[in-house]
Amino acid sequence: MPAHSGNRTQAAPAVSDQHPGVARWFAAHGYPVHPLMPGMKTPPANCPSCRPPAQSHEPQTCPCVTQGLWCHGFHAATTDQGVVEKWWRQEPGFGVAVSCGPAGLLVIDIDAHSPVLPDRQRLLPGIRIDDRVDLSGLASGFDTLALLAACRSQPNPADDTETLRVRTPSGGLHVWYRVPCGGPRYRSSSGSSPRVALAWQVDIRATGGYVVAPGTRTASGTYQALPGARTPAILPLWLSAELIRTGHTGTPVTVPAPAPLPARPTRSDDAAAHRILKPLLDEIRACATTPSGTAFTEKLNRAAFTAGGLAGAGYITQAECAGLLTEAADAARPRRGRRNRLVIDSALRAGSNRPIHPKGRS
């Protein structure tokens, strides 16, 4: 994971900056970069000894990578400013790409193509769409991602102004998120895949993939950052749950239904639930002494997810959880009440699908 702390308030370079400046900025802020062919969105060719059929080594063990060459695309991505300077001094027209896995990024790549619409049961893998639902006008990844968000009663990531969003030359959209420390290791996927996909025409760029940096120019146009946040926000918990459900962590996971409520929770279990939540709530309140740089949203996410798990197991009510979390969040960040409640609601919903039993926890 890159060391981004302390740099989150600094915006990425403007679109008008030259490619070398964009590459230096991302590398300096902990995002491993590698070059793209001038005017294209593909990496430059490997050296002759690394090209098939001569290639007889894995990219991870390639001596060219350790020597600061760009062979093997995102496998060669680096934050070494000396290597970055050398690459773009050799070819200033190189585009810029960020290797998602080492950067701790998960990018939702929304396509705006208009191919033939597949069967409705392939639009949102694993979610049955009733035949009575009118799909008239549905034509792109923007539509299926909006449909997924609506199914989960969540905000549409395409409209998330609190994270970096980049318009692609083809009319698509890249929505950049950070994977929280200790979070799952997500893998890349294609929205047209019959096996692992989040939604039709919605690709995932994560481990084993790269994303074109904003400001990069290709023959089709420029990747342009949209108004709003200029750095990636933490991945929303509801999207994390969807990615786990759809198999983006390696092995498909069946999210269990909430456990039946215990008929008579004991007083000690009720006390244990409050004991588990107390240090998490204290961490949130402690953020009041520092206006930024305290990972406030991550702490609120974690506390609400845990509270949701306890509520899902029946040891505390959802209403009581929401009250405790709202009080702590508003005490620390009183000016962002609406955002606090969105975070709390999302995390409580996700946590309720993973019941937590106080026994054996402290």
Side-chain angles (χ1 to χ4, degrees), residues 84-121:
V84 171
E85 291 282 354
K86 183 179 72 172
W87 284 346
W88 272 270
R89 184 170 58 248
Q90 183 170 339
E91 177 49 79
F94 273 154
V96 183
V98 177
S99 181
C100 294
L105 291 173
L106 185 142
V107 178
I108 299 177
D109 181 359
I110 308 170
D111 289 333
H113 308 148
S114 297
V116 177
L117 197 69
D119 180 82
R120 65 174 52 218
Q121 302 313 329

Side-chain angles (χ1 to χ4, degrees), residues 46 50 55-66 69 71-76:
N46 296 338
C50 292
Q55 180 181 346
S56 60
H57 56 268
E58 293 295 322
Q60 295 84 350
T61 61
C62 177
C64 297
V65 174
T66 60
L69 301 179
C71 297
H72 307 294
F74 67 83
H75 293 287

Side-chain angles (χ1 to χ4, degrees), residues 52-230:
Q55 180 181 346
S56 60
H57 56 268
E58 293 295 322
Q60 295 84 350
T61 61
C62 177
C64 297
V65 174
T66 60
Q67 294 169 15
L69 301 179
W70 56 64
C71 297
H72 307 294
F74 67 83
H75 293 287
T78 182
T79 58
D80 187 316
Q81 288 287 351
V83 174
V84 171
E85 291 282 354
K86 183 179 72 172
W87 284 346
W88 272 270
R89 184 170 58 248
Q90 183 170 339
E91 177 49 79
F94 273 154
V96 183
V98 177
S99 181
C100 294
L105 291 173
L106 185 142
V107 178
I108 299 177
D109 181 359
I110 308 170
D111 289 333
H113 308 148
S114 297
V116 177
L117 197 69
D119 180 82
R120 65 174 52 218
Q121 302 313 329
R122 286 193 56 196
L123 297 176
L124 299 179
I127 298 177
R128 177 170 179 77
I129 302 176
D130 192 278
D131 291 340
R132 293 169 294 181
V133 176
D134 184 6
L135 299 179
S136 300
L138 190 149
S140 72
F142 286 96
D143 302 318
T144 53
L145 187 60
L147 182 62
L148 176 62
C151 286
R152 300 308 192 211
S153 300
Q154 297 293 337
N156 186 351
D159 301 326
D160 188 355
T161 59
E162 296 194 3
T163 196
L164 174 63
R165 296 173 302 151
V166 180
R167 180 70 67 186
T168 70
S170 64
L173 186 69
H174 292 167
V175 185
W176 294 45
Y177 286 114
R178 288 184 294 121
V179 177
C181 293
R185 181 183 175 89
Y186 300 103
R187 62 175 176 175
S188 301
S189 72
S190 168
S192 61
S193 171
R195 293 187 299 173
V196 178
L198 179 66
W200 178 68
Q201 285 216 30
V202 177
D203 301 338
I204 297 298
R205 309 292 183 194
T207 301
Y210 64 88
V211 62
V212 181
T216 294
R217 293 180 298 278
T218 67
S220 301
T222 300
Y223 287 76
Q224 297 182 316
L226 295 184
R230 304 306 289 267

